[in-house]
Amino acid sequence: MGYRPQHVRHTDFDAASARRRTHELPALPEPPTAPLVRPDRMAPGVYDAPGERGPRIPHDVGAVGLDDLPESRRTAPPPTTVRQPVAEMAVTALRLLVRLMDGDRPENTRTELSTTPVERASAAAPRI
């Protein structure tokens, strides 16, 4: 399916905001099959929204989070998520900051770090 700008919803970083915006998705001509929420603490809002209208996670729609926060594991079903290397991100940012403070102006300040998918019960193969 790929990236579709019409699927993007900006919210406050809380479950209530995520729930309100998730209600908009079924009305799209081709709604997403598994919303990605960032951070994971927004996942309960995405979980609640389909249940209010009938679809169940992961049977009818999936949900995928980002950050793998410990508190997100208490949702049911536990969310499929993407774990980010937070410690490595902090070290990389600090090194860049020190370089900048020393007067170094690197050509590229973008750094890509590896993430880890964590498969749990909130996502399943889409129904065809």
Side-chain angles (χ1 to χ4, degrees):
M1 182 184 260
Y3 172 74
R4 297 190 179 181
Q6 67 271 25
H7 288 171
V8 175
R9 297 293 184 269
H10 298 280
T11 69
D12 294 330
F13 290 103
D14 61 51
S17 180
R19 182 176 49 255
R20 283 191 303 274
R21 298 308 302 258
T22 300
H23 278 302
E24 300 169 5
L25 299 176
L28 295 173
E30 293 183 58
T33 58
L36 171 68
V37 294
R38 183 188 180 275
D40 281 346
R41 72 174 165 257
M42 294 171 58
V46 173
Y47 277 40
D48 292 346
E52 294 168 4
R53 296 189 182 194
R56 300 165 296 148
I57 293 175
H59 309 293
D60 303 311
V61 66
V64 180
L66 181 64
D67 291 337
D68 195 25
L69 300 174
E71 62 269 23
S72 69
R73 295 178 203 141
R74 291 190 290 268
T75 59
T80 294
T81 189
V82 178
R83 185 177 298 134
Q84 298 184 87
V86 177
E88 188 178 355
M89 291 165 66
V91 168
T92 302
L94 184 58
R95 285 184 181 146
L96 177 60
L97 178 61
V98 168
R99 287 179 65 189
L100 292 169
M101 289 174 64
D102 286 342
D104 187 8
R105 296 290 178 236
E107 283 185 34
N108 186 4
T109 58
R110 179 186 169 102
T111 302
E112 291 188 31
L113 303 173
S114 296
T115 58
T116 306
V118 181
E119 294 183 41
R120 296 194 183 112
S122 71
R127 292 176 149 188
I128 297 178

